[in-house]
Amino acid sequence: MPAIDETRDLTAKEYARIRDLVYAESGINLGDQKMQLVRARLGKFVRNGGFSSYDAYLDTVQADSTGEQLCGLLDAISTNTTHLFREMHHFDLLGKIIGGWVQDPRWRAAHPTLRIWSAASSSGEEPHSIAMVAHDSLRAHSEIELKILATDISGKMLKRAQIAIYDPHRLGTTPPQYRNRYLCKVDHQGTPMMQLSAELRGLITFARFNLMNASFPFRHGFDVVFCRNVMIYFDRQTQEALVNKIAGQLHPGGYLLIGHSESLNRIDHSLEYVEPTVYRRKG
Ligand SMILES: C[S@@+](CC[C@H](N)C(=O)[O-])C[C@H]1O[C@@H](n2cnc3c(N)ncnc32)[C@H](O)[C@@H]1O
């Protein structure tokens, strides 16, 4: 006899509870239309956990003082889609920006370290692409140290990012010069895969960080911040607070890059518009 599913379907009230929790904890604004998505992404937790309802599951999430259950919920809700060299234009631009900076002796004197932040790094493709381009752009300037910070709210994605392993058949977006220089053949659980070189992995610090945090506790500022394809999930107010916190972390002359479907048009900020999706701190 087939197993009987004892779980009650998601009610409008439970959906509202999830929507409010997700908004409060991550800034992700599900709105009123994402019931199907919530059902598809959280249903397995509710069923596999043996809960009789979404409410019962949420009670457990909210009672868990370790925060682990909440991380699992947010991991499941957030969209982590990404790929190497996504929105290639930004990586061409990064190479040009760094190339321009390193030619300027005054910039070099003031910048023993070049610091770049990938602020919603997901499974790592973005910081890995940054590492390849920035390392290549600094080849003639080994005196400049390169440091990349990669953060995301999802611990699961960060773990994947740290391993930096890729299917060789899915490297189509990676320019051959970077593929040849920075990706190495490895045997991963019996399957031939490619891995970002140990040298480049060593340039990246991975950390779990929620962009909703009231303060950004970074010791140093950044020369470039990639905050791409995450603001689309936030409402205007949340975007504005975030952009202003990021602007406060940029060195004068530093750049903020946002996703190609995002815009800062409707929000108040102090950054200079350079071109679509590219902003700069004055100075
Ligand atoms: C679509 S991915 C973007 C990846 C990459 N930046 C890119 O453009 O390809 C969005 C990422 O934002 C992360 N995210 C969502 N809300 C967040 C928050 N409040 N703080 C930090 N990261 C968040 C998700 O976990 C997800 O990995």
Side-chain angles (χ1 to χ4, degrees):
M1 210 170 77
I4 299 166
D5 185 354
E6 298 288 354
T7 306
R8 196 171 30 70
D9 191 18
L10 179 65
T11 64
K13 200 158 153 260
E14 286 167 329
Y15 174 73
R17 187 175 167 195
I18 293 169
R19 184 198 58 204
D20 293 350
L21 177 68
V22 169
Y23 182 70
E25 296 294 339
S26 72
I28 296 172
N29 187 8
L30 291 170
D32 293 330
Q33 309 295 326
K34 296 278 166 58
M35 250 176 119
Q36 190 46 41
L37 177 137
V38 164
R39 222 182 251 121
R41 298 208 179 158
L42 298 186
K44 59 180 182 292
F45 292 142
V46 181
R47 285 188 301 275
N48 299 349
F51 298 104
S52 57
S53 66
Y54 282 78
D55 259 339
Y57 162 66
L58 290 168
D59 289 344
T60 304
V61 169
Q62 292 189 300
D64 171 20
S65 57
T66 68
E68 239 174 78
Q69 298 263 0
L70 180 63
C71 285
L73 185 151
L74 295 177
D75 265 353
I77 288 292
S78 63
T79 297
N80 306 112
T81 322
T82 183
H83 59 79
L84 282 166
F85 293 90
R86 178 181 194 183
E87 298 173 2
M88 177 57 106
H89 163 72
H90 284 153
F91 297 98
D92 292 338
L93 183 70
L94 179 66
K96 284 190 196 134
I97 291 171
I98 299 175
W101 279 340
V102 295
Q103 274 174 24
D104 177 356
R106 277 180 319 167
W107 188 91
R108 289 202 305 273
H111 289 80
T113 306
L114 173 68
R115 295 180 192 277
I116 305 178
W117 179 23
S118 167
S121 59
S122 188
S123 40
E125 285 78 347
E126 184 176 273
H128 299 157
S129 309
I130 293 170
M132 294 190 232
V133 173
H135 185 273
D136 186 55
S137 307
L138 290 174
R139 265 204 293 174
H141 290 279
S142 54
E143 77 281 9
I144 299 174
E145 192 186 15
L146 172 60
K147 287 200 168 189
I148 299 166
L149 174 67
T151 62
D152 200 279
I153 199 172
S154 164
K156 190 166 132 198
M157 288 301 125
L158 286 165
K159 273 195 202 128
R160 249 202 246 169
Q162 272 165 298
I163 300 169
I165 284 196
Y166 292 99
D167 180 339
H169 303 294
R170 303 189 65 184
L171 295 176
T173 52
T174 308
Q177 77 267 27
Y178 296 129
R179 196 182 327 168
N180 298 338
R181 200 172 315 138
Y182 296 123
L183 295 174
C184 317
K185 289 184 181 156
V186 286
D187 178 278
H188 182 63
Q189 298 165 348
T191 310
M193 299 290 263
M194 302 297 275
Q195 186 174 36
L196 188 70
S197 72
E199 185 187 4
L200 261 56
R201 277 182 279 139
L203 302 175
I204 311 173
T205 302
F206 293 95
R208 188 163 181 271
F209 183 70
N210 187 340
L211 292 169
M212 291 306 100
N213 284 3
S215 68
F216 282 16
F218 306 116
R219 223 177 316 143
H220 306 277
F222 298 98
D223 300 296
V224 186
V225 175
F226 283 66
C227 185
R228 306 187 312 159
N229 302 305
V230 61
M231 278 194 285
I232 29 167
Y233 305 111
F234 301 159
D235 60 19
R236 198 199 62 82
Q237 205 183 340
T238 308
Q239 291 176 350
E240 187 165 297
L242 174 59
V243 168
N244 284 298
K245 280 186 280 179
I246 292 176
Q249 296 297 317
L250 277 175
H251 292 153
Y255 286 82
L256 167 64
L257 309 184
I258 63 173
H260 278 132
S261 55
E262 297 165 328
S263 149
L264 305 189
N265 279 348
R266 295 184 310 124
I267 70 176
D268 266 348
H269 61 84
S270 56
L271 300 172
E272 208 170 64
Y273 170 83
V274 178
E275 58 184 58
T277 72
V278 180
Y279 297 82
R280 208 173 80 103
R281 180 167 166 191
K282 292 177 192 133

